[in-house]
């Protein structure tokens, strides 16, 4: 075979190989595009929403344990419970309070009462307006009125121990919900109420904006 013939054969082979590679790449691109379309349809991916939702399935802000964690006494931190609360109160973001949750993990009594537990906060005690929140899912044998009454008293006593004790306690109707309200001698206000699905919500805070009351008013 002459050099010209060998060159022609080599060129033809090269073109065939190039065409085959192009066709393979095109098929691969088509498959990837098809998979992307399936993922969009199956996973429900859609256009971005300009305004954030008022309520979320996960807590706003950094999450210490995205999938939850269990303490040495068996208490489960469940950040998804914070999705039952508004994302913000009075335009202030409500964020998971990992420090409070870490303290709860060392409480030997809480696992006997709650299947899930989470904490959140707005601001700090040194600020003008602040709020600390805990929400827990009670175990089936803790859904009675006796447990609720004992919890209300113990939570208020514990919160107000940092503010010269409880000054007064009563029940109020806020947002069509029965809420136990205690005022500490030092000024902070404590709120506790039952929600559906066995959830128990307690909070204490201080400031002219009364964020605890505003949070309850925003509950669905």
């Amino acid at each position: 075979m002459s050099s010209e013939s060998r060159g022609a054969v080599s060129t033809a082979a090269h073109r065939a190989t190039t065409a085959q590679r192009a066709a393979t790449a095109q098929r691969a691109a088509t498959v990837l595009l098809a998979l992307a379309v399936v993922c969009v349809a199956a996973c429900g991916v859609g256009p971005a929403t300009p305004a954030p939702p008022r309520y979320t399935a996960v807590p706003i802000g950094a999450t210490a344990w995205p999938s939850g964690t269990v303490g040495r006494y068996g208490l489960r931190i469940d950040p998804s419970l914070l999705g039952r609360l508004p994302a913000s109160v009075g335009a202030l973001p409500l964020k998971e309070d990992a420090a409070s949750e870490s303290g709860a993990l060392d409480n030997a009594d809480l696992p006997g009462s709650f299947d899930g537990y989470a904490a959140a906060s707005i601001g700090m005690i040194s600020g003008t307006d602040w709020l600390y929140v805990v929400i827990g899912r009670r175990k089936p044998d803790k859904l009675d009125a006796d447990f609720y009454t004992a919890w209300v008293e113990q939570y208020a006593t514990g919160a107000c121990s940092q503010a010269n004790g409880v000054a007064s306690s009563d029940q109020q109707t806020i947002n069509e919900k029965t809420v136990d309200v205690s005022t500490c001698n030092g000024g902070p206000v404590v709120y506790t109420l039952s929600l559906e699905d066995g959830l128990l919500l307690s909070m204490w805070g201080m400031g002219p904006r009364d964020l605890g009351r505003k949070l309850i008013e925003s509950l669905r």
Side-chain angles (χ1 to χ4, degrees):
M1 181 181 293
S2 66
S3 59
E4 290 82 359
S5 298
R6 286 196 297 271
V9 170
S10 176
T11 300
H14 175 73
R15 289 176 178 173
T17 300
T18 301
Q20 182 178 9
R21 289 176 178 173
T24 301
Q26 180 62 37
R27 287 195 296 272
T30 302
V31 170
L32 289 175
L33 178 60
L35 289 175
V37 171
V38 171
C39 182
V40 168
C43 302
V45 178
T49 303
R54 186 177 179 188
Y55 294 87
T56 57
V58 295
I60 297 299
T63 300
W65 303 284
S67 300
T69 189
V70 178
R72 57 176 175 163
Y73 296 112
L75 178 67
R76 174 173 172 76
I77 299 298
D78 184 0
S80 70
L81 294 178
L82 298 180
R84 179 62 182 82
L85 306 178
S88 62
V89 182
L92 299 174
L94 182 68
K95 297 183 179 181
E96 182 179 15
D97 188 341
S100 294
E101 291 173 342
S102 295
L105 290 174
D106 290 330
N107 188 314
D109 296 325
L110 290 176
S113 302
F114 296 98
D115 283 325
Y117 187 94
S121 62
I122 296 175
M124 300 181 67
I125 291 179
S126 58
T128 302
D129 287 282
W130 53 270
L131 183 69
Y132 287 87
V133 180
V134 298
I135 183 170
R137 182 184 297 107
R138 286 173 284 174
K139 290 189 171 181
D141 62 339
K142 300 298 181 183
L143 298 174
D144 58 280
D146 289 341
F147 173 79
Y148 175 83
T149 300
W151 172 267
V152 169
E153 181 179 351
Q154 292 171 8
Y155 186 85
T157 298
C160 290
S161 66
Q162 306 176 57
N164 301 320
V166 177
S168 63
S169 297
D170 65 349
Q171 281 192 334
Q172 300 178 19
T173 300
I174 305 174
N175 191 17
E176 300 182 348
K177 296 175 172 58
T178 301
V179 183
D180 282 271
V181 184
S182 294
T183 302
C184 307
N185 283 303
V189 181
V190 184
Y191 297 96
T192 293
L193 66 155
S194 291
L195 302 176
E196 64 275 8
D197 300 324
L199 295 178
L200 187 60
L201 175 64
S202 292
M203 67 198 91
W204 71 296
M206 187 174 179
R209 301 173 74 174
D210 198 352
L211 298 175
R213 181 176 291 271
K214 287 186 179 299
L215 188 154
I216 296 171
E217 290 173 346
S218 70
L219 291 174
R220 291 179 294 183

